[in-house]
Amino acid sequence: MTKKHYNQGHPAKRQKNAAKPANDGSNEEILLADVKSLLSRHRRPEARLEDEIGGDAKPTRTLSYVPPDRFTEIEVKISELSSTGDGLGISPTSDHVYVVPFTVTGDVVQAKIVNHVPQANYTLTDFVKVIESAPQRDDSLVRCPYFAKCAGCQIQMLPYELQLQHKKLIMEKAYRNFSTLTPEVVPPVGETIGSPLQYGYRTKLTPHFDGPPGSMSRKAKRDPSERKGFNAIPPIGFMLKGTRKTVDIEDCPIGTDAVRRGMKTERERVVKEIADYTKGATILLRESTLRKPKFQLDQITASSEAGQNEQNETSGGRDAHSDAINGSMDKSGKADIDSARPDLTPHVDIKTCITDQRAISTEYVDDYLFKNTAGAFFQNNNSILPKITGYIRDHIMSFTKRDGTKSIKYLIDAYCGSGLFTITLSSLFSSCTGIDIAGASIVSARENAIANKISNASFMTADASKLFQEVTYPAEKTVVIIDPPRKGCDDPFLQQLLRFGPQRVIYVSCNVHTQARDVGVMAEGIRDCRYEIESLQGFDFFPQTGHVEGVAILVRSDKSQS
C-alpha cells in the first residue's frame, strides 16, 4: 500500500512540479550550492573515495546519519552563514546539514526540525534559542521586537562591518558556483560599499493581511456572495519565517520615519474598516519627498501648525505634494523635516507617506528629481543611490583613447524603469536611450528627463527580446547598462546583446547569482564577441538582511585576441 502524505491533518494534494530552469538563482538553488560545498569540505576520507570510484553515477552508499523526526528539538553548532542568510550546521557524521535561521557562525543553538530534504542531505529547522553565543553575535544590536520571527531581516545580531564582509563573500561564492568561469578570469570582489543608513532606510513597505477563513475556497471564488467577513482583526504585517503565515507587526525599524508613521495610520484605518473587507489585502506604504528652499521654512512650519488638527498623517489617494506639509506632521504638529542633511544645504526635505498605488511619489537622488507612480518599482534605499550612481559614473568611462578623448559616446539603459541611470549619467554622453518593457515606466522616464532639463536622452518601450532592433548607435562607441529583475536576463536578450557587441557593459543586479550566471554567458561569448570582467563590486542596499546588490563592469574583448 502506498503511504499517504499528510499536511496539517489532511491528505496532501497531488501537485504538478513545474520544472525550474538550471541556475534559476532561487533561494533553494543558492542554499543547495552552499550545502554541497559544506558537505564536500567535511566529508570523511572513505566517503570521498567512494564518490571518486562512483564517478558521475548516482551515489549508492547509505548515509550513516538519520535525522530526528519532525518537530524534534536538537542542539546544533553553526559551521557557517549561507548566502541565504541562514546558518548551516553539520551532523555528527558529517553527511547531513541543518539549516537554522537567525544564527551566525560559531553559535550553538536549539532548533526544531521542520522539514527534511533527503535528496539534498539537509533539513530545515526553526530557531528556538541560543545555547552558547558565538563571539561575533551581539544581540544588543537587534532593534526589532519581531526579530527571529519575521522573515524580513536575518542578521540584525551581526555587527555591520561583519555584515559587509559576509556580503562580499556572497558575491565571491556566486561567481564560484554560478558563473562556470575559472577562478583566474574572475577579478577580486571589492569591499562591500555600505549603506549610509543601517536602519530607517526603506522608502517602501508592503504589509498585508490574509482573508477570513474560507475566503479562498472554490465556492467563495465562484460566488462572491458566499464570502464571509472577518469576525476578528487579522494579523497585519509580514510573513513568519519559513511559513505562509502572517506575523502581526505594529512597527518596522528598517522603514523610514514617514513610512513607519504611515504603517501606524494604515493599521488603524484597517481596524476601523475591517467590516468592509471580504478578502485579504496588501497595503502600500511609499515615502514621497517635497523639497523646499530653506527661506520658506518659517512658512512651512506655520502652515503645518495651522493644519495640525487635520487627519493628514498619510497622503492616501491625494496628490502627495498638495498635502505634504500637513501630511508630514509629527504628534506635536511640526513638519517632518529631514534633519540628516547638513545645515549648509540650501533646502529642506519634507517627507510624507503615500498609500494609493496610483498616486505620484517624488524622490531625489542628489539633485536629480524622480517622479513615479507610487506602486511602480523604484529602488527602496534612497540613501545609497548616490553611491551606486557615483561608482558607475567613475567607472563607466574608464576606457579612453590614448589622446585622452572619450571613446564612449552613447548610453543604452536597458530595463531603464523611470530613468534612474539614464538621467543621472546623461551628462557623460552625446546621446542616451532608455528602454523598458513597461509603458508606464517610460512615461515617467520621459517626464523625469524634462523635469531635470535633460535634452540628450530619449526613451522607448520595447520587449526584451527585441531590445536592440531600434538602436542605431555604433557598438564600438556604446556602453549598455542592464538592471534586470531577480531572475536575471533570458537567453534571447543575452544573445542579441552579444550580437550587438557594445564596447562596455555595466550589469547591476539585486541577485548576484543570476548576475554571475549571465556574466558567464557573456564571458563565453559568441562568434568574435566576448567580454572580460573588469571589476566586481557589492552595495548594501538592504542592511540587516542577507541581500547584496552587485555591479559588474565588463569590457569587450574579441575572441581573436584571447
Side-chain angles (χ1 to χ4, degrees), residues 143-211:
R143 296 192 191 179
C144 180
Y146 308 101
F147 182 70
K149 294 181 181 178
C150 174
C153 296
Q154 301 89 35
I155 51 176
Q156 288 190 24
M157 68 301 202
L158 201 60
Y160 192 56
E161 283 302 315
L162 296 183
Q163 290 188 31
L164 297 180
Q165 291 175 23
H166 173 63
K167 295 183 182 192
K168 176 184 176 181
L169 180 60
I170 290 175
M171 281 198 74
E172 292 173 344
K173 290 195 295 182
Y175 277 81
R176 184 163 63 242
N177 296 333
F178 288 83
S179 71
T180 70
L181 298 174
T182 56
E184 57 268 19
V185 302
V186 179
V189 176
E191 299 298 327
T192 308
I193 295 177
S195 171
L197 299 175
Q198 289 90 58
Y199 283 92
Y201 63 83
R202 278 200 71 119
T203 55
K204 179 183 178 182
L205 289 174
T206 52
H208 68 274
F209 60 92
D210 300 321

Side-chain angles (χ1 to χ4, degrees), residues 164 167-168 171 188-195 384 388 391 509 512 515 535-541 547-552:
L164 297 180
K167 295 183 182 192
K168 176 184 176 181
M171 281 198 74
V189 176
E191 299 298 327
T192 308
I193 295 177
S195 171
I384 199 172
I388 193 169
Y391 175 86
S509 178
V512 293
Q515 181 194 63
S535 63
L536 296 171
Q537 180 65 57
F539 290 81
D540 189 17
F541 272 46
H547 298 288
V548 58
E549 192 94 358
V551 176

